[in-house]
Amino acid sequence: MSGVIPIRSICCIGAGYVGGPTMAVIADRCPGVQVTVVDLNQARIDAWNSPDLSKLPVYEPGLDAVVERCRGRNLHFSTAVDAAIASADMVFLSVNTPTKTRGVGAGQASDLRWIEASARQVAAAARAHTIVVEKSTLPVRTAEVIKTILEAAEGDTPTGSKTFSVLSNPEFLAEGTAISDLEAPDRVLIGGNDPASIEALAAIYGQWVPAERILRTNVWSSELSKLTANAFLAQRISSINSIGALCEATEANVREVARAIGADSRIGSKFLKAGPGFGGSCFQKDILNLVYLCRHYGLSEVADYWEAVVNLNAWQQHRISALVVRHLFGTVTGKRIAVLGFAFKADTNDTRETPAIRICGDLLEEGAQLAIFDPKVTAEQMAVDLGRLPLQGSLTDGFSGEGVWQMAASPREAVAGADAVLVLTEWEQFRQLDWQALAPELRHPAWLFDARAICDATAARSSGLKVWCVGEG
Ligand code: UDX
Ligand code: ADP
């Protein structure tokens, strides 16, 4: 094999939850490589450049320390997209690929407009041979789209011969543990058909990832592996949530069942936590992509099989809002409900597809007054997600029967005068809540609905609360 192409300069298009942390760790582990993360969004880039590390646009444990070490040394954040592409040996595409909201494939297929736009920008701005790496989660065969766009721009330029090769290098980091996932990945997957480019990228990861964990596949296998990994993980959650519902109807306890089945090494213990259903930017989108792909290839039974995982997830969320209403005497109109947690999981400020959107949405439809507390999510983000502005003034003022919400500054503020507390995110601080101190603040009879099974239910019960805990009969 010819020598490995040396990579001195990397550009990453997209400074989001994937691009930011991934490039920060690459810069940290490869001090000889200049890494520039670019984005069209000036406010986002300004936030990445903020001297106050608590203002970074992505909250991720450990990220601030990595950024502090590298920023200005070999990690840069900029809106000068073309300049960064022009000087890069390797360009990562890490732009958003949400589910299409209209047109062909609406509700299932990914919207590739940002991927296409960034590929065109790379095609125009690159100067010499450039390795283009798909990092965003993409439908299978996207590499071909990117390749077609890039190949149309190949040719001689004053600065040399402009050529491209495309690799798929899907991201497996989970939010909340992104830095440790990047620093010690179970595996790194590189898909491609140009060995020299594959080895160039493998050499970057090889700076800190053991060689046997760097897997090489063809480009389609790599793209499909990402969708499949997420589909399998999400399937486990829908499976355990389905059993949780059965446990609630019987005298079983889903955590005992999970422990018992997880001890079987063929099953394994991870991803067996019953809860309010999965959220996040990947699971639903990737499964819907898989469903779309299967239908496209005429595999309707396979499509139905995977679609059931998503349907069960939505069912679980509606089931939880419905049981809150049922336990509160069949009506929540005008009742105050403290919602603890809005992010889709702990240790992130991300709310994409968070179960809180559907559950809070249902309760607002029913006329509830929600006091929502989350340690990292802003009121502005909640307003976007809930599709309505927070109520100005006090929640008790001018009661109209319409559902309203406000952000609370603490769990204590949220529960004051509430008929129920609903725990939706497994933030560590909710495990530590002092129910003896909180219970007198509620209007009794009062309920604790623990959709994550993290609260001290014994303490809550002995403080006079009625308790519902997910998956517990
Ligand atoms: C996921 C994949 O784990 C990651 O590999 C991929 O790159 C992106 O998608 P992420 O969405 O960040 O990562 O978080 P993850 O920890 O997988 O959790 C997803 C959702 O499942 C969360 O809402 C979480 O609360 C829920 N979940 C997870 C459960 O309900 N039960 C579990 O046992 C595990
Ligand atoms: P992810 O979770 O995949 O990282 P995000 O939405 O957090 O997704 O981040 C994607 C980023 O990509 C956004 O900040 C968006 O502004 C940026 N982006 C999208 N298209 C382009 C483009 N053509 N050039 C530069 N940045 C882009």
Coordinates of all heavy atoms in Angstrom, one line a residue, residues 137 170-177 181 187 226 229-230 233-234 236-237 240-241 269-283 286 343-346 350 353-355 424 426 452, ligand 1:
T137 N -25.4 11.4 11.1 CA -26.1 10.2 10.8 C -26.9 10.3 9.5 O -27.7 11.3 9.4 CB -27.1 9.9 11.9 OG1 -26.4 9.9 13.1 CG2 -27.8 8.5 11.7
P170 N -19.4 7.0 10.9 CA -20.5 7.3 11.8 C -20.1 7.5 13.3 O -19.2 6.9 13.7 CB -21.5 6.2 11.7 CG -20.7 5.1 11.1 CD -19.5 5.6 10.4
E171 N -20.8 8.4 13.9 CA -20.5 8.7 15.3 C -21.4 7.9 16.2 O -22.6 7.8 16.0 CB -20.9 10.2 15.5 CG -20.4 10.7 16.8 CD -19.0 10.4 17.1 OE1 -18.1 11.0 16.4 OE2 -18.7 9.5 17.9
F172 N -20.8 7.3 17.2 CA -21.5 6.4 18.2 C -21.6 7.1 19.5 O -22.0 6.4 20.5 CB -20.9 5.0 18.2 CG -21.1 4.3 16.9 CD1 -20.0 4.0 16.1 CD2 -22.3 3.8 16.6 CE1 -20.1 3.3 14.9 CE2 -22.4 3.0 15.4 CZ -21.3 2.8 14.6
L173 N -21.1 8.3 19.7 CA -21.1 8.9 21.0 C -22.6 9.1 21.5 O -23.5 9.4 20.7 CB -20.4 10.2 21.0 CG -20.9 11.4 20.3 CD1 -22.0 12.2 21.0 CD2 -19.8 12.4 20.0
A174 N -22.8 9.0 22.8 CA -24.1 9.3 23.4 C -23.9 10.6 24.1 O -22.9 10.8 24.8 CB -24.5 8.1 24.3
E175 N -24.9 11.4 24.0 CA -24.9 12.7 24.7 C -24.9 12.4 26.2 O -25.5 11.5 26.7 CB -26.1 13.5 24.3 CG -25.9 14.0 22.9 CD -27.1 14.8 22.4 OE1 -27.8 15.5 23.2 OE2 -27.3 14.8 21.1
G176 N -24.1 13.3 26.9 CA -24.0 13.2 28.4 C -22.8 12.4 28.7 O -22.2 12.6 29.8
T177 N -22.3 11.5 27.8 CA -21.1 10.8 28.0 C -20.2 10.9 26.8 O -19.3 10.1 26.5 CB -21.3 9.3 28.3 OG1 -22.1 8.8 27.2 CG2 -22.0 9.0 29.6
D181 N -17.0 8.6 25.7 CA -17.2 7.8 24.5 C -16.2 8.0 23.4 O -15.8 7.1 22.7 CB -18.6 8.0 23.9 CG -19.8 7.6 24.9 OD1 -19.5 6.8 25.8 OD2 -20.9 8.0 24.6
R187 N -15.7 1.0 19.5 CA -15.1 0.8 18.2 C -15.3 2.2 17.4 O -16.1 3.0 17.7 CB -15.8 -0.3 17.4 CG -17.2 -0.2 16.8 CD -18.1 0.7 17.3 NE -19.5 0.3 17.0 CZ -20.5 0.7 17.7 NH1 -20.3 1.5 18.8 NH2 -21.8 0.4 17.4
K226 N -24.7 2.1 11.4 CA -25.1 3.2 12.3 C -26.6 3.1 12.5 O -27.1 3.1 13.7 CB -24.7 4.5 11.7 CG -25.3 5.7 12.4 CD -24.7 6.1 13.6 CE -25.4 7.2 14.4 NZ -24.7 8.0 15.3
A229 N -27.3 -0.1 14.6 CA -26.9 0.0 16.0 C -28.0 0.8 16.8 O -28.5 0.4 17.9 CB -25.6 0.7 16.2
N230 N -28.4 1.9 16.2 CA -29.4 2.7 16.9 C -30.8 2.0 17.0 O -31.5 2.1 18.0 CB -29.6 4.1 16.3 CG -28.4 5.0 16.8 OD1 -27.8 4.7 17.8 ND2 -28.2 6.1 16.1
L233 N -30.5 -0.6 19.8 CA -30.6 0.0 21.1 C -32.0 0.4 21.4 O -32.5 0.2 22.5 CB -29.6 1.1 21.2 CG -28.1 0.8 21.1 CD1 -27.3 2.0 20.9 CD2 -27.7 0.0 22.4
A234 N -32.6 1.1 20.5 CA -34.0 1.6 20.7 C -35.0 0.5 20.9 O -35.9 0.6 21.7 CB -34.4 2.5 19.5
R236 N -34.4 -2.3 22.3 CA -34.3 -2.8 23.7 C -35.2 -1.9 24.6 O -35.8 -2.4 25.6 CB -32.9 -2.8 24.2 CG -32.1 -3.9 23.6 CD -30.6 -3.7 24.0 NE -30.3 -4.0 25.4 CZ -29.9 -5.2 25.9 NH1 -29.8 -6.2 25.1 NH2 -29.7 -5.3 27.2
I237 N -35.2 -0.6 24.4 CA -36.0 0.3 25.2 C -37.5 0.0 25.0 O -38.2 -0.1 26.0 CB -35.6 1.7 25.0 CG1 -34.1 1.9 25.2 CG2 -36.4 2.7 25.8 CD1 -33.6 3.3 24.8
I240 N -38.3 -3.3 26.8 CA -38.4 -3.2 28.3 C -39.6 -2.4 28.7 O -40.3 -2.7 29.7 CB -37.1 -2.8 28.9 CG1 -37.0 -3.2 30.4 CG2 -36.9 -1.3 28.8 CD1 -36.9 -4.7 30.6
N241 N -39.9 -1.3 27.9 CA -41.1 -0.5 28.3 C -42.4 -1.3 28.1 O -43.3 -1.1 28.8 CB -41.1 0.8 27.5 CG -40.1 1.8 28.0 OD1 -39.8 1.8 29.2 ND2 -39.7 2.7 27.2
S269 N -26.7 -6.4 30.3 CA -27.5 -5.6 31.3 C -27.8 -4.2 30.8 O -28.6 -3.5 31.5 CB -26.7 -5.6 32.6 OG -25.5 -5.0 32.4
K270 N -27.1 -3.7 29.8 CA -27.3 -2.3 29.4 C -28.6 -2.1 28.6 O -29.1 -3.0 28.0 CB -26.1 -1.8 28.6 CG -24.9 -1.8 29.5 CD -23.7 -1.2 28.8 CE -22.5 -1.2 29.7 NZ -21.3 -1.2 28.9
F271 N -29.1 -0.8 28.6 CA -30.2 -0.4 27.9 C -31.5 -1.2 28.2 O -32.3 -1.6 27.3 CB -29.9 -0.5 26.3 CG -29.5 0.9 25.9 CD1 -28.2 1.4 26.2 CD2 -30.3 1.7 25.1 CE1 -27.8 2.6 25.8 CE2 -29.9 3.0 24.7 CZ -28.7 3.4 25.1
L272 N -31.6 -1.5 29.5 CA -32.8 -2.2 29.9 C -33.6 -1.4 31.0 O -34.3 -1.9 31.8 CB -32.5 -3.6 30.5 CG -32.0 -4.6 29.5 CD1 -31.7 -5.9 30.2 CD2 -33.2 -4.9 28.5
K273 N -33.4 -0.1 30.9 CA -34.1 0.8 31.9 C -35.4 1.2 31.3 O -35.5 1.9 30.3 CB -33.3 2.0 32.2 CG -32.1 1.7 33.2 CD -31.7 3.0 33.9 CE -30.4 2.8 34.6 NZ -29.2 3.0 33.6
A274 N -36.5 0.8 32.0 CA -37.8 1.3 31.6 C -37.9 2.8 32.0 O -37.3 3.3 32.9 CB -38.9 0.6 32.4
G275 N -38.6 3.5 31.2 CA -38.7 5.0 31.4 C -39.8 5.6 30.5 O -40.7 4.9 30.1
P276 N -39.7 6.9 30.3 CA -40.8 7.5 29.5 C -40.6 7.4 28.0 O -41.2 8.1 27.2 CB -40.6 9.0 29.9 CG -39.2 9.2 30.3 CD -38.7 7.8 30.8
G277 N -39.7 6.4 27.6 CA -39.5 6.2 26.2 C -38.2 7.0 25.8 O -37.8 7.9 26.5
F278 N -37.7 6.6 24.6 CA -36.4 7.2 24.2 C -36.7 8.5 23.5 O -37.7 8.7 22.8 CB -35.6 6.2 23.3 CG -36.4 5.7 22.1 CD1 -36.6 6.5 20.9 CD2 -36.9 4.4 22.1 CE1 -37.2 6.0 19.8 CE2 -37.5 3.9 21.0 CZ -37.7 4.7 19.9
G279 N -35.7 9.4 23.7 CA -35.7 10.7 22.9 C -34.3 10.8 22.3 O -33.6 9.8 22.1
G280 N -34.0 12.0 22.0 CA -32.7 12.3 21.4 C -32.8 12.4 19.9 O -33.8 12.1 19.2
S281 N -31.7 12.9 19.3 CA -31.7 13.2 17.8 C -31.6 12.0 16.9 O -31.8 12.1 15.7 CB -30.6 14.2 17.5 OG -29.4 13.6 17.6
C282 N -31.3 10.9 17.5 CA -30.9 9.7 16.6 C -31.9 8.6 16.5 O -32.2 8.2 15.4 CB -29.6 9.1 17.1 SG -28.2 10.1 16.6
F283 N -32.4 8.1 17.6 CA -33.1 6.9 17.6 C -34.3 6.9 16.7 O -34.4 6.1 15.8 CB -33.5 6.4 19.0 CG -32.4 5.9 19.8 CD1 -32.7 5.5 21.2 CD2 -31.2 5.7 19.3 CE1 -31.6 4.9 21.9 CE2 -30.1 5.1 20.1 CZ -30.4 4.8 21.4
D286 N -33.3 7.6 13.0 CA -32.6 6.5 12.3 C -33.6 5.3 12.0 O -33.5 4.7 11.0 CB -31.4 6.0 13.2 CG -30.3 7.0 13.1 OD1 -30.5 8.0 12.4 OD2 -29.3 6.8 13.8
A343 N -34.9 17.7 29.6 CA -34.0 17.1 28.6 C -34.3 15.7 28.3 O -34.9 15.0 29.1 CB -32.5 17.3 29.1
F344 N -33.8 15.1 27.2 CA -34.2 13.8 26.8 C -33.5 12.7 27.6 O -33.9 11.5 27.7 CB -34.0 13.5 25.3 CG -32.6 13.2 24.9 CD1 -32.2 11.9 24.7 CD2 -31.7 14.2 24.6 CE1 -30.9 11.6 24.3 CE2 -30.4 14.0 24.2 CZ -30.0 12.6 24.0
K345 N -32.4 13.1 28.3 CA -31.7 12.3 29.3 C -30.9 13.2 30.2 O -30.8 14.4 29.9 CB -30.8 11.3 28.5 CG -29.7 12.0 27.7 CD -28.9 11.0 26.9 CE -27.9 10.3 27.7 NZ -26.9 9.5 26.8
A346 N -30.3 12.7 31.2 CA -29.5 13.5 32.1 C -28.2 13.9 31.5 O -27.7 13.3 30.5 CB -29.2 12.7 33.4
D350 N -29.8 19.0 25.6 CA -30.5 18.7 24.3 C -31.9 18.3 24.6 O -32.2 17.5 25.5 CB -29.7 17.6 23.6 CG -30.1 17.5 22.2 OD1 -31.1 18.2 21.7 OD2 -29.4 16.7 21.4
E353 N -36.6 15.6 20.4 CA -37.4 14.4 20.6 C -37.6 13.9 22.1 O -37.9 12.8 22.4 CB -36.9 13.2 19.8 CG -36.7 13.4 18.3 CD -38.0 13.6 17.5 OE1 -39.0 13.3 18.1 OE2 -37.9 14.1 16.4
T354 N -37.4 14.9 23.0 CA -37.5 14.5 24.4 C -38.9 14.0 24.7 O -39.9 14.6 24.3 CB -37.0 15.6 25.3 OG1 -37.3 15.2 26.7 CG2 -37.8 16.9 25.1
P355 N -39.0 12.9 25.5 CA -40.4 12.5 25.9 C -41.2 13.6 26.6 O -42.4 13.6 26.5 CB -40.1 11.4 26.9 CG -38.7 10.9 26.7 CD -38.0 12.1 26.1
L424 N -39.3 13.3 34.8 CA -39.1 12.9 33.4 C -37.7 12.6 33.0 O -37.4 12.0 32.0 CB -39.8 13.8 32.4 CG -41.3 13.9 32.5 CD1 -41.9 14.9 31.5 CD2 -42.0 12.5 32.3
E426 N -33.6 11.7 34.4 CA -32.9 11.1 35.5 C -31.7 11.9 36.0 O -30.7 11.4 36.3 CB -32.5 9.7 35.1 CG -31.3 9.5 34.2 CD -31.6 9.8 32.7 OE1 -32.5 10.5 32.4 OE2 -30.8 9.3 31.9
R452 N -38.9 7.7 35.8 CA -37.5 7.2 35.6 C -37.1 6.2 36.7 O -36.0 5.7 36.7 CB -36.5 8.3 35.6 CG -36.7 9.2 34.4 CD -36.0 8.6 33.2 NE -36.0 9.6 32.1 CZ -35.4 9.4 30.9 NH1 -34.7 8.3 30.7 NH2 -35.4 10.3 30.0
Ligands
UDX1 C1 -27.7 7.4 20.9 C2 -26.8 6.2 20.8 O1 -26.6 5.6 22.1 C3 -25.4 6.7 20.3 O2 -24.5 5.6 20.1 C4 -25.7 7.3 18.9 O3 -24.5 7.9 18.4 C5 -26.7 8.5 19.1 O4 -27.9 8.0 19.7 P1 -28.1 9.4 22.6 O5 -29.4 9.6 21.9 O6 -27.2 10.6 22.8 O7 -27.2 8.3 21.9 O8 -28.4 8.8 24.1 P2 -28.7 7.3 24.7 O9 -27.9 7.2 25.9 O10 -28.6 6.3 23.7 O11 -30.2 7.5 25.1 C6 -31.3 7.6 24.1 C7 -32.6 7.6 24.8 O12 -32.9 6.4 25.4 C8 -32.7 8.6 26.0 O13 -33.9 9.3 26.0 C9 -32.6 7.7 27.2 O14 -33.2 8.2 28.4 C10 -33.3 6.4 26.7 N1 -32.9 5.2 27.4 C11 -31.7 4.7 27.3 C12 -33.9 4.5 28.2 O15 -35.1 4.9 28.2 N2 -33.5 3.3 28.8 C13 -32.2 2.9 28.7 O16 -32.0 1.8 29.3 C14 -31.3 3.6 28.0

